[in-house]
């Protein structure tokens, strides 16, 4: 297993379109296992919990910044996967 997490400042946000693209890219990673966190998507905070087979999303009224993590089933191609994820998010 391998994991990576991010905590952003309150000014970071991602557009809905880019976030949807990010989720698609993430699910295409061969070792993807889980993504969870709270993200500011188009000025609104959203709780997200996604596995290969499930996706749960709901509004979050208590957040002031984004924080999220990705978990992978193995670390063999972790550096490449991390570069792909960072390009999609930032």
């Amino acid at each position: 297993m391998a994991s990576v997490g991010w905590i952003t400042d309150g000014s970071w946000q991602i557009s809905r379109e880019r976030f949807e693209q990010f989720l698609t890219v993430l699910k295409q990673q061969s070792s993807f296992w889980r993504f969870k966190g709270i993200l500011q998507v188009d000025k609104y905070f959203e709780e997200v919990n996604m596995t290969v087979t499930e996706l749960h999303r709901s509004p979050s009224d208590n957040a002031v910044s984004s924080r999220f993590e990705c978990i992978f089933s193995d670390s063999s191609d972790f550096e490449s996967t991390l570069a792909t994820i960072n390009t999609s998010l930032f």
Side-chain angles (χ1 to χ4, degrees):
M1 303 285 292
S3 68
V4 62
W6 297 265
I7 299 173
T8 67
D9 65 26
S11 65
W12 182 87
Q13 64 180 299
I14 190 168
S15 70
R16 177 136 333 262
E17 179 181 336
R18 189 165 181 159
F19 185 57
E20 298 298 333
Q21 292 170 352
F22 164 73
L23 294 177
T24 299
V25 165
L26 194 58
K27 287 181 94 171
Q28 292 172 347
Q29 303 306 304
S30 62
S31 62
F32 171 72
W33 191 68
R34 184 177 184 195
F35 174 81
K36 65 179 183 172
I38 298 174
L39 293 92
Q40 189 172 6
V41 181
D42 283 342
K43 300 182 184 178
Y44 299 98
F45 285 95
E46 187 174 313
E47 292 182 42
V48 180
N49 191 347
M50 182 176 81
T51 66
V52 175
T53 59
E54 297 182 39
L55 174 61
H56 299 280
R57 297 166 76 168
S58 60
S60 178
D61 296 330
N62 300 326
V64 294
S65 64
S66 298
R67 57 194 178 280
F68 43 94
E69 72 175 319
C70 293
I71 305 170
F72 302 92
S73 60
D74 70 64
S75 60
S76 60
D77 196 24
F78 187 68
E79 293 300 320
S80 174
T81 301
L82 183 57
T84 299
I85 290 170
N86 278 326
T87 299
S88 298
L89 283 173
F90 305 104

